[in-house]
Amino acid sequence: MASNKLLSVTFTSLGGGISYNLACNSSDNIPESYLQGGHPFWSNDTPLYQTGGLVVGGSSNDWTWSRMGAIFKVMVKNGYGTENGGRVLLPKNSTWENVKCYLNGKQYDDDGNPMPYVVWEQIGFADAELVYHMGDGTSLGRLVPTTYGSNDGIYCGKLYDDGTFIGDIVGWLIPKSKIRPGTWTPPYSSRYYGWGGVGEKHPTRYQLISPAIINDLADYLPFEPEGSYVDEGGGDFDANSDPVDFPGLPGVSILDTGLLKMFQMNTTQVHDLADYLWSGLFDLDTFKKLFSDPMEAILNLSIMPINEATTTPTTIRIGNITTNVSGLPVNNQYKIIDFGTINMNEFWASYADYSPYTRLSIFLPYVGVQAMSIDDVMNGNIQLKAYVDLLTGSVQYILKSNQTNRAGHGHNSVLYTWGGNCQYQIPLTASNMSQVISSITGTVSTIAGGVAATVATGGLTAPLAVGMAAGSISNAMSAKTHVQRGGGIGGSVGIFGVQTPYLILERPEQVYPENYEATKGSPSMQTRPLGYYSGYVRVEAVNLSIPGATEAELKDIEAKLKGGVIV
Amino acid sequence: MTITFYITDDPVNKIQKTLTGGVSVSGVLREATSEDNPVIKAVEGANLSATDKAKLRACNYAYIAELGKYYFVDNKFLRNNKLIDIPMNIDTLMTFASDILNQTCLIQRSEVYSSPYINDSERPAYNFPMVLTKNFSGSYEGFHMYLTVASSQPLSP
């Protein structure tokens, strides 16, 4: 008898492989809250939480009937909680890990006897966060699949026991990019009563998931509420990102030519060199055949924060004169310094972790503090490398971001580059000295000018938002004046700076008033019958159609719905 | 016309309210009155028990069966210690509850079904942000002096 009771959530792997349903027991209903990222089953005596109760039904050529258990196993990383009124209470900042949907089949033979479990398929999910409801409640956050079993893709929809199959599955389970048209392979018939029925070929219960349904699915992707899969805007929906990796070093080096030679020197060696240049040992006549001034052959004496030299000292040859001073020869003009990787994890697991609420900047030695977009890197990791030219001191910072956003889209590419100079030139002549002083003075002027301009104008990214609710997160963060945290710091002043790159994160400190969700709710942006909801609901738009209501009453109802009602 | 007076503790914006303490009073409308904002007069003129009178004095809600509409009790006017006037206004939410719940709406905010990743300009925040620094694990390699010289003796190929 049709009761319009939700029986299953259907996942169909692509490629003509196994098809299966996540379903409840035939006599039970799936609590939709579980599918909505709601409350997982609770186990009080173990840190393992699992959303048991889902059963996968299906079969293959080799099995006449099987019933498969699908269990979301999750582990709370930091903390245990208590159950309170059906809600799981956990400490703040708890996260779920090891979330996996195991499609393990518990088999039954033709006589209905249970057979050993077999692994049919496994869907892996990225670590999921807990979603904190206002007050003290919490629930399992959105699960983003990372692996899809043996086939790259999953279809989904809801199957009801009246034979209807609709696609209003919650969107968080399936990234939009993974939903695509294809062929639905119905399971084989069941010979025993179960959710699949007796001897049915499922001609009515299972239907091809058409592009139209997939189009509907997109309406339920909470992170892409405006989108639809087909036709909107005529775009190709190509969400693939080509990886852009770190570059290699140049294959050509001036040091390879032998025209120039670099040596790493210690203080004693430099002192010995000075003594030699001003001693009678220096054969000036021979030297002058090439240079008018001995200093012309000493191209540069500098300090750099790089350790790049061979370990065996050799005699230094200036021009065509062999000195009695030695140094550690430098054979590689270029060097890469890997500063490592930082994971950019969400703190609030919400919009507040992104711009304009959260801001990110990076301090780079010899460059200063540079602004970054938190949107580029959040929920991923970043790796920073410096490419240094020892001859000139030029340093190029390259930052690579590996990110998958909450819609399942991502990149693994170089996104940022910054240039600077890490060489502090030591003046050897009067003209050298004036040049060095000039460069230092210029740098200081730049710093002073930068600070003055920032104070005078409020900075380029000064207050943006107006008209927001007083005290809101938008106001709290956007009203903050951006302060330039430093000016240019080239090699001459950069040697006094911090020698380790670091990130500067500015996050909002959110307020969690008691019963906030019950009195204001949180953004939903879904289109559904009002009766689908419970608790506080505020309507964005509605075309009321109520027989018998006067115009005044309709206006009154609309105003109340838009002001917020309790269902 | 029969008016049933109730007490409700539910908030005014709750669509389906829980009603208790019903007291039915029958009478006729002797004056023209608005259907959405009626004023019920001479209420205690009806034959009421002491218990019902007490309930009536405590009521804050009403239902008029003939109109099929629910009302908030706005005020109560007394004369000679008798409740004589009760101005009311319609509770459109309760009156049309079943129709309202069937309306398909674009939901802006919800207590239950929401996405934490949609911007929420109403979410409160303290005026002091947290400012954190995260170090990269790597660093430069200490300061070293380098000498670059011209050489008249290029490397042999």
Side-chain angles (χ1 to χ4, degrees):
Chain A
M1 178 181 292
S3 62
N4 200 31
K5 186 171 66 176
L6 179 63
L7 275 184
S8 72
V9 177
T10 304
F11 295 83
T12 307
S13 59
L14 297 180
I18 299 169
S19 301
Y20 36 73
N21 286 356
L22 293 184
C24 59
N25 292 316
S26 58
S27 59
D28 300 327
N29 201 352
I30 295 179
E32 296 214 8
S33 60
Y34 296 160
L35 307 176
Q36 297 275 359
H39 317 303
F41 280 120
W42 173 251
S43 174
N44 205 28
D45 55 356
T46 168
L48 180 67
Y49 302 89
Q50 58 188 40
T51 60
L54 297 181
V55 174
V56 175
S59 60
S60 70
N61 289 322
D62 302 326
W63 299 91
T64 55
W65 170 245
S66 64
R67 177 170 291 178
M68 303 166 66
I71 299 173
F72 290 91
K73 287 187 176 178
V74 290
M75 186 79 76
V76 174
K77 276 183 178 174
N78 47 356
Y80 300 84
T82 57
E83 186 178 10
N84 182 10
R87 306 185 88 181
V88 179
L89 309 182
L90 289 168
K92 279 189 174 181
N93 307 328
S94 297
T95 55
W96 300 92
E97 63 178 358
N98 300 328
V99 179
K100 284 185 174 61
C101 176
Y102 295 97
L103 305 185
N104 298 329
K106 186 172 185 179
Q107 314 281 336
Y108 294 86
D109 63 16
D110 288 355
D111 298 325
N113 298 316
M115 301 291 287
Y117 274 88
V118 295
V119 177
W120 278 53
E121 199 65 281
Q122 178 174 317
I123 303 173
F125 294 86
D127 288 1
E129 291 79 10
L130 295 178
V131 174
Y132 290 96
H133 300 286
M134 284 299 177
D136 54 6
T138 185
S139 63
L140 181 62
R142 186 178 66 250
L143 296 174
V144 178
T146 54
T147 57
Y148 296 86
S150 58
N151 300 285
D152 184 23
I154 298 173
Y155 289 145
C156 59
K158 285 182 180 177
L159 176 69
Y160 292 86
D161 67 347
D162 62 355
T164 59
F165 182 87
I166 60 175
D168 62 341
I169 180 72
V170 288
W172 48 258
L173 200 56
I174 306 296
K176 185 177 178 182
S177 60
K178 293 291 182 184
I179 302 173
R180 64 194 77 171
T183 303
W184 164 258
T185 304
Y188 288 81
S189 64
S190 165
R191 296 176 64 179
Y192 294 92
Y193 179 79
W195 58 270
V198 179
E200 287 185 301
K201 291 290 185 184
H202 316 297
T204 57
R205 290 193 172 192
Y206 303 102
Q207 300 172 11
L208 178 68
I209 302 178
S210 68
I213 291 177
I214 293 171
N215 187 47
D216 291 339
L217 287 179
D219 291 339
Y220 296 95
L221 298 180
F223 31 81
E224 295 175 284
E226 81 293 348
S228 62
Y229 183 67
V230 180
D231 289 334
E232 184 180 3
D236 64 2
F237 294 96
D238 179 7
N240 295 314
S241 177
D242 296 326
V244 179
D245 207 350
F246 284 107
L249 289 174
V252 178
S253 165
I254 193 66
L255 295 182
D256 292 339
T257 68
L259 284 171
L260 302 176
K261 286 191 173 179
M262 282 191 77
F263 298 91
Q264 189 184 105
M265 310 283 285
N266 60 32
T267 307
T268 303
Q269 288 167 330
V270 173
H271 184 267
D272 292 344
L273 179 65
D275 285 347
Y276 178 81
L277 289 175
W278 296 104
S279 71
L281 297 174
F282 190 75
D283 187 353
L284 199 56
D285 291 336
T286 303
F287 185 85
K288 281 184 173 177
K289 292 175 182 176
L290 288 171
F291 302 100
S292 61
D293 181 345
M295 287 306 176
E296 288 183 6
I298 298 179
L299 301 179
N300 191 16
L301 180 61
S302 63
I303 296 174
M304 285 186 286
I306 308 295
N307 185 16
E308 176 64 27
T310 56
T311 55
T312 306
T314 60
T315 302
I316 297 172
R317 183 178 172 86
I318 300 176
N320 56 352
I321 296 177
T322 301
T323 71
N324 61 0
V325 181
S326 63
L328 296 174
V330 174
N331 293 333
N332 299 314
Q333 182 182 347
Y334 312 109
K335 182 166 189 180
I336 297 174
I337 298 177
D338 189 346
F339 293 108
T341 300
I342 292 181
N343 293 323
M344 303 298 296
N345 298 325
E346 293 176 344
F347 182 84
W348 298 106
S350 74
Y351 68 96
D353 288 309
Y354 298 85
S355 67
Y357 312 106
T358 295
R359 295 171 180 161
L360 176 66
S361 51
I362 185 171
F363 171 79
L364 301 164
Y366 307 97
V367 172
V369 177
Q370 301 292 312
M372 293 177 63
S373 169
I374 190 71
D375 299 341
D376 289 340
V377 298
M378 181 52 74
N379 200 41
N381 62 66
I382 55 175
Q383 185 179 9
L384 180 68
K385 291 183 178 181
Y387 288 64
V388 182
D389 175 10
L390 275 73
L391 198 62
T392 63
S394 296
V395 54
Q396 173 92 332
Y397 290 97
I398 298 181
L399 187 140
K400 185 180 176 185
S401 168
N402 186 357
Q403 180 204 48
T404 301
N405 71 12
R406 290 301 184 178
H409 302 146
H411 59 259
N412 184 13
S413 298
V414 169
L415 291 189
Y416 289 89
T417 59
W418 301 273
N421 194 290
C422 65
Q423 191 176 74
Y424 173 39
Q425 293 184 328
I426 301 168
L428 297 174
T429 65
S431 60
N432 275 167
M433 188 70 189
S434 63
Q435 288 171 4
V436 170
I437 292 174
S438 173
S439 68
I440 294 173
T441 307
T443 303
V444 171
S445 300
T446 303
I447 297 171
V451 172
T454 303
V455 171
T457 65
L460 293 175
T461 49
L464 294 173
V466 291
M468 298 291 188
S472 72
I473 186 172
S474 310
N475 248 14
M477 289 307 290
S478 62
K480 300 292 184 187
T481 303
H482 282 231
V483 176
Q484 187 171 329
R485 288 195 162 89
I489 47 171
S492 55
V493 292
I495 62 170
F496 302 121
V498 176
Q499 297 299 306
T500 302
Y502 58 89
L503 300 175
I504 304 172
L505 271 164
E506 296 175 76
R507 290 191 174 112
E509 292 276 15
Q510 295 196 70
V511 182
Y512 283 91
E514 287 290 324
N515 297 319
Y516 181 86
E517 293 283 344
T519 52
K520 294 199 76 169
S522 287
S524 178
M525 302 311 290
Q526 295 181 346
T527 305
R528 293 181 188 274
L530 201 60
Y532 179 85
Y533 293 82
S534 61
Y536 180 85
V537 175
R538 191 192 301 172
V539 171
E540 173 77 18
V542 60
N543 296 318
L544 285 174
S545 174
I546 300 178
T550 65
E551 181 183 358
E553 289 168 342
L554 290 173
K555 287 181 177 177
D556 182 60
I557 292 169
E558 183 171 347
K560 287 175 177 172
L561 293 179
K562 290 182 175 178
V565 296
I566 298 172
V567 179
Chain B
M1 173 178 285
T2 299
I3 305 173
T4 306
F5 291 95
Y6 296 99
I7 296 172
T8 181
D9 295 330
D10 288 330
V12 295
N13 63 339
K14 187 171 182 181
I15 293 180
Q16 291 174 306
K17 298 173 178 66
T18 303
L19 307 177
T20 58
V23 177
S24 293
V25 177
S26 297
V28 294
L29 287 173
R30 293 177 179 173
E31 298 176 9
T33 187
S34 164
E35 187 173 314
D36 285 352
N37 300 284
V39 178
I40 307 302
K41 292 179 175 296
V43 179
E44 283 193 14
N47 187 18
L48 293 174
S49 66
T51 303
D52 286 348
K53 283 182 180 177
K55 287 183 178 177
L56 197 57
R57 293 287 178 97
C59 73
N60 63 356
Y61 206 77
Y63 175 67
I64 301 178
E66 280 81 351
L67 302 178
K69 293 184 176 179
Y70 290 90
Y71 297 88
F72 294 109
V73 171
D74 281 347
N75 209 335
K76 298 165 191 170
F77 292 96
L78 303 173
R79 182 184 297 162
N80 297 328
N81 202 29
K82 282 190 175 180
L83 191 58
I84 57 164
D85 286 358
I86 301 180
M88 306 190 298
N89 74 86
I90 188 171
D91 179 5
T92 51
L93 294 178
M94 182 80 160
T95 300
F96 300 102
S98 60
D99 291 311
I100 290 172
L101 293 175
N102 284 326
Q103 301 293 309
T104 297
C105 309
L106 175 59
I107 304 299
Q108 181 188 97
R109 303 179 73 89
S110 164
E111 179 181 350
V112 178
Y113 299 115
S114 60
S115 169
Y117 291 97
I118 297 176
N119 275 353
D120 187 357
S121 61
E122 298 182 21
R123 180 66 59 89
Y126 292 110
N127 197 35
F128 48 86
M130 66 175 92
V131 180
L132 312 171
T133 54
K134 303 283 186 185
N135 281 333
F136 284 89
S137 57
S139 180
Y140 278 105
E141 301 167 327
F143 294 108
H144 300 275
M145 269 190 290
Y146 288 91
L147 176 71
T148 307
V149 297
S151 172
S152 63
Q153 194 177 54
L155 294 177
S156 56

